[in-house]
Amino acid sequence: MTLFTPSSYRLQLLQQLHRQLTQLIESDTLPEFRENPLLEKLELLLPELEKGEESALFSAQQLVSHLIANFPQLTPLVSRDLLWFLGGDCLHWMPDEEVAVYQQLEELYHRSLESNTAFDWVATRQQLTSQPNGLH
């Protein structure tokens, strides 16, 4: 098992979101999104996030919040994990009960770091909740 890190997982989730949005546009499933600059902004953010630039994290928070607020039909594409790892305004899209589960998950992750044991974020989240990855 590879070592889990929140920043690499967050990047993977953003890359996955980018791929899904690109596929929707290419398949002409989402013509109203074709002219929207969000996809291009996300594409520009990915390399910045890979470098660990803090300003890119804030921009990603804004972008995902804007996506959910303005394109509710795309909301199921946004992983709950992504909302948690982006934090900030993205947490407003999560009910308090769900935030509590993620706080517990975060505590378990930090305990695994302290004890130097492997941690599987997805499996542990699935154990704590039966909540699917998409927003509904």
Side-chain angles (χ1 to χ4, degrees):
M1 165 188 275
T2 25
L3 183 63
F4 172 82
T5 64
S7 59
S8 64
Y9 186 48
R10 179 180 55 230
L11 181 61
Q12 289 172 4
L13 293 171
L14 282 165
Q15 289 168 334
Q16 176 185 349
L17 179 62
H18 179 264
R19 282 190 302 274
Q20 290 172 315
L21 291 172
T22 300
Q23 288 171 352
L24 284 173
I25 290 171
E26 288 174 354
S27 68
D28 213 25
T29 306
L30 197 61
E32 68 273 19
F33 196 74
R34 184 178 295 277
E35 301 300 319
N36 194 291
L38 284 176
L39 186 64
E40 184 179 329
K41 287 180 183 179
L42 179 56
E43 197 169 304
L44 294 172
L45 275 177
L46 292 173
E48 292 177 27
L49 286 165
E50 283 182 54
K51 295 175 192 171
E53 294 182 24
E54 279 299 311
S55 62
L57 181 58
F58 180 71
S59 296
Q61 290 171 3
Q62 290 180 314
L63 186 140
V64 170
S65 284
H66 185 77
L67 177 75
I68 293 170
N70 294 292
F71 295 94
Q73 71 274 29
L74 298 178
T75 311
L77 298 178
V78 180
S79 164
R80 309 304 286 175
D81 289 348
L82 181 58
L83 293 176
W84 177 256
F85 285 120
L86 286 175
D89 287 343
C90 291
L91 297 179
H92 296 293
W93 301 106
M94 301 173 77
D96 291 342
E97 302 80 26
E98 189 175 25
V99 169
V101 170
Y102 274 90
Q103 287 171 330
Q104 183 181 8
L105 186 56
E106 188 87 14
E107 289 171 15
L108 292 170
Y109 166 66
H110 286 287
R111 279 190 218 147
S112 76
L113 285 177
E114 290 170 4
S115 63
N116 203 23
T117 58
F119 187 80
D120 186 332
W121 179 273
V122 175
T124 306
R125 177 182 35 80
Q126 289 172 344
Q127 288 174 352
L128 293 175
T129 180
S130 59
Q131 183 74 22
N133 279 338
L135 227 171
H136 298 284

